Amino acid sequence: MTQFEITGAARIGFIKATYPLVSLSVTPTRLEVNASIAGNLVFQPKDIVKIEPFKHSYFPGRGIQIVHKVGNYTKKVFFGAKEDPETLVQRIKQTGFLNNQDHVSLEEKKDIVSRQEQGSFPIKKQFALGFLLGWNALFVMHLFPFVKNALPGFSVVSSIGLSALILFLVSLISLYSPEFRRLYLKHGRTLKDIKKFLILTLIISGLMAANAVFLFFIL
């Protein structure tokens, strides 16, 4: 076995990502923990100090700890799956990753180092902050005096429905438009880094928008 990928959950620093939003993929030259916007961490063999089974309340008997020396990442990196942790560690060893210190190509090294320098969060922080501020403002639009004057029937239900609709559209466009994703993804990041999060957001925001429309017509 030279490579594998497994789905699970993760804790990166103090942020937790649940199953099935996380994947662990290992090749002879690369180990990646993809927890979507909770963090996307990529390592080459020389970055790893050790990988060991780890007991934690978040992963009852089924977690591994990745001890690394990448300064731009949080030191607390845990991954958990249905697979027994000792077996998972053995599978990682069987890829040859832990013993492959000097066999990473120059091109792959540059890619890994570039991503590490950007940190684990895949989205540009300025965009994330601006979007969160604007999106949260939609929740309270019905309280703004100019909105009350322009749209007398605009209520809290309308605010929730509009914010959910905006989130739904952003997620949908993100899934299908590389040009739109380039506006907010860091250099080198791809749809794979955030796809599971987008799909989950699409489902939740779609249900929220549908409920808001239903409530608007019955209230």
Side-chain angles (χ1 to χ4, degrees):
M1 179 180 62
T2 58
Q3 63 184 56
F4 73 92
E5 182 170 326
I6 185 171
T7 300
R11 180 181 174 188
I12 300 173
F14 296 103
I15 302 175
K16 297 176 181 179
T18 60
Y19 182 95
L21 295 178
V22 186
S23 64
L24 170 72
S25 58
V26 189
T27 74
T29 56
R30 187 184 189 104
L31 182 148
E32 186 169 351
V33 179
N34 185 351
S36 198
I37 66 166
N40 182 269
L41 299 89
V42 59
F43 304 96
Q44 53 182 314
K46 73 180 186 64
D47 298 324
I48 302 299
V49 177
K50 60 182 176 179
I51 298 175
E52 59 185 2
F54 185 79
K55 291 185 178 181
H56 193 280
S57 58
Y58 189 52
F59 310 122
R62 294 186 180 276
I64 62 170
Q65 180 179 15
I66 300 171
V67 183
H68 64 88
K69 48 187 177 181
V70 179
N72 235 18
Y73 291 164
T74 176
K75 293 302 179 185
K76 297 180 179 180
V77 181
F78 306 98
F79 175 83
K82 295 179 180 179
E83 189 165 339
D84 179 77
E86 285 82 5
T87 302
L88 184 53
V89 171
Q90 286 303 314
R91 289 183 67 186
I92 294 172
K93 288 180 179 178
Q94 288 170 13
T95 65
F97 172 79
L98 294 175
N99 300 315
N100 213 9
Q101 300 282 335
D102 302 316
H103 295 84
V104 183
S105 68
L106 180 60
E107 183 178 349
E108 188 165 21
K109 280 183 181 179
K110 288 174 64 177
D111 176 60
I112 292 173
V113 171
S114 173
R115 294 183 64 160
Q116 289 174 344
E117 289 174 347
Q118 296 177 46
S120 62
F121 190 57
I123 296 174
K124 297 173 184 176
K125 291 183 179 179
Q126 299 92 327
F127 181 93
L129 181 60
F131 181 81
L132 282 174
L133 289 174
W135 187 66
N136 281 306
L138 293 173
F139 275 105
V140 293
M141 272 188 65
H142 60 286
L143 300 177
F144 298 161
F146 69 90
V147 174
K148 288 182 179 180
N149 295 331
L151 302 168
F154 200 86
S155 64
V156 61
V157 173
S158 304
S159 291
I160 294 173
L162 181 60
S163 60
L165 179 61
I166 294 296
L167 189 57
F168 179 87
L169 292 174
V170 168
S171 302
L172 184 63
I173 296 170
S174 294
L175 279 171
Y176 295 102
S177 173
E179 292 78 14
F180 184 70
R181 290 195 299 270
R182 277 196 287 270
L183 294 175
Y184 63 85
L185 284 181
K186 291 179 179 177
H187 179 70
R189 307 288 175 155
T190 67
L191 175 61
K192 180 183 177 182
D193 297 323
I194 58 170
K195 186 175 182 179
K196 290 182 178 180
F197 173 77
L198 289 176
I199 292 173
L200 179 64
T201 303
L202 198 65
I203 294 170
I204 293 174
S205 60
L207 290 173
M208 287 177 62
N211 286 333
V213 171
F214 175 74
L215 290 173
F216 179 81
F217 283 108
I218 69 170
L219 292 178

